[in-house]
């Protein structure tokens, strides 16, 4: 079975631009979460979606938004990019909405903002 | 904010030795999970231990959890060069749904 997939693998943008990152969860998983990992730090929670509804939001500005589609795939959008948005963006999926089961991560999208 | 704090931040050992890293956290949890990350790539899930469990094993990995001290440890026995990676603990709060990660321990296993 395929694991969590993310696209693109790498992305280079300039300040002020907009970016869309994509994620496909493991088959049968209805929950998708997004995390930001700045170099040298642990991942930080951005969003969780379950059954197309937002179920959690981390401490990120409104420039960050996400959505989940009927097939449970998800997009993360970041507007008005700043240099500080340069990071590895990780998508994770699990079966249920609560944190009681294992969350599986994709390989990430490396975003560089120049 | 980071819930967990790993100790040490970095660890260098010889192949065949054991590696131990610790994680402390601040609030009551439902479970604690350990992940491995190679060279800034995706996170690989290692072990999930629930708040009512004290110890779990998976192959060469042993995880302990002490909820009274709000701490956990990950032991890798008979380390291999392929174990070189960053290791993160992550907690899920009681009735929570997100993972809160620590800053990680960078492990270097020298052949």
């Amino acid at each position: 079975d395929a694991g969590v997939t993310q696209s693109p693998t790498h992305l280079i943008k300039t300040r002020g631009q907009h970016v869309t990152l994509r994620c496909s969860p493991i088959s049968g998983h209805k929950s998708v979460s997004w995390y930001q990992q700045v170099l040298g730090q642990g991942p930080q929670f951005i969003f969780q979606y379950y059954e197309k509804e937002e179920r959690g939001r981390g401490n990120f500005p409104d420039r960050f938004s996400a959505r989940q589609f009927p097939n449970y795939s998800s997009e993360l959008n970041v507007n008005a990019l700043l240099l500080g948005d340069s990071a590895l963006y990780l998508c994770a999926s699990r079966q249920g909405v609560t944190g009681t089961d294992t969350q599986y991560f994709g390989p990430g999208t490396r975003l560089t903002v120049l | 904010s980071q819930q967990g704090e790993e100790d040490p931040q970095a660890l260098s050992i010889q192949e065949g030795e054991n590696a131990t890293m610790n994680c402390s956290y601040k609030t009551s949890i439902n479970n604690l999970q350990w992940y491995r990350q190679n060279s800034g790539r995706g996170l690989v899930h290692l072990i999930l231990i629930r708040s009512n469990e004290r110890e779990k094993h998976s192959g060469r990995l042993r995880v302990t959890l002490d909820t009274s001290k709000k701490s956990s440890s990950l032991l890798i026995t008979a380390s291999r060069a392929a174990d070189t990676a960053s290791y993160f603990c992550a907690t899920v709060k009681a009735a929570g749904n997100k993972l809160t990660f620590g800053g990680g321990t960078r492990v270097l296993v020298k052949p």
Side-chain angles (χ1 to χ4, degrees):
Chain A
D1 286 341
V4 178
T5 59
Q6 292 186 244
S7 63
T9 305
H10 296 89
L11 205 50
I12 299 175
K13 293 284 189 178
T14 56
R15 282 178 296 174
Q17 285 189 313
H18 162 91
V19 69
T20 297
L21 310 180
R22 296 177 175 82
C23 170
S24 291
I26 292 171
S27 177
H29 287 191
K30 298 181 179 180
S31 172
V32 170
S33 296
W34 289 94
Y35 291 79
Q36 180 197 66
Q37 186 179 22
V38 173
L39 192 63
Q41 298 181 17
Q44 296 281 322
F45 173 76
I46 310 175
F47 287 110
Q48 184 200 12
Y49 276 77
Y50 179 77
E51 292 278 17
K52 296 176 288 182
E53 290 187 2
E54 183 183 303
R55 293 301 191 101
R57 173 186 284 257
N59 188 24
F60 281 80
D62 292 343
R63 299 184 296 106
F64 288 76
S65 64
R67 56 179 176 168
Q68 186 178 34
F69 299 99
N71 66 353
Y72 304 113
S73 67
S74 178
E75 282 183 355
L76 175 69
N77 296 283
V78 187
N79 292 323
L81 285 167
L82 303 174
L83 295 180
D85 295 331
S86 295
L88 181 68
Y89 288 84
L90 296 161
C91 174
S93 77
R94 61 177 174 231
Q95 288 185 320
V97 64
T98 66
T100 57
D101 51 350
T102 299
Q103 195 156 211
Y104 297 91
F105 283 80
T109 293
R110 172 74 61 187
L111 172 64
T112 301
V113 182
L114 302 176
Chain B
S1 63
Q2 308 239 336
Q3 151 93 311
E5 295 292 336
E6 280 96 335
D7 172 60
Q9 290 187 330
L11 185 59
S12 181
I13 57 175
Q14 293 294 137
E15 206 166 27
E17 294 181 339
N18 295 342
T20 299
M21 59 210 84
N22 303 295
C23 169
S24 60
Y25 57 92
K26 299 174 184 175
T27 63
S28 296
I29 61 171
N30 175 281
N31 65 76
L32 184 146
Q33 303 180 36
W34 284 90
Y35 286 84
R36 185 184 74 229
Q37 185 176 43
N38 293 84
S39 302
R41 297 179 184 174
L43 296 163
V44 175
H45 184 264
L46 298 177
I47 288 184
L48 181 154
I49 185 165
R50 303 189 189 282
S51 59
N52 61 351
E53 298 175 313
R54 291 297 168 259
E55 187 171 313
K56 286 190 83 168
H57 296 254
S58 177
R60 295 183 295 111
L61 306 179
R62 180 173 78 99
V63 168
T64 62
L65 178 64
D66 186 336
T67 53
S68 67
K69 296 181 179 178
K70 291 185 169 59
S71 68
S72 174
S73 68
L74 170 66
L75 168 67
I76 305 173
T77 60
S79 63
R80 304 166 182 170
D83 295 328
T84 293
S86 291
Y87 292 82
F88 294 91
C89 72
T91 56
V92 177
K93 294 181 182 178
N97 61 357
K98 69 175 185 179
L99 288 168
T100 303
F101 286 84
T105 294
R106 284 161 290 287
V107 175
L108 172 63
V109 181
K110 294 178 283 187

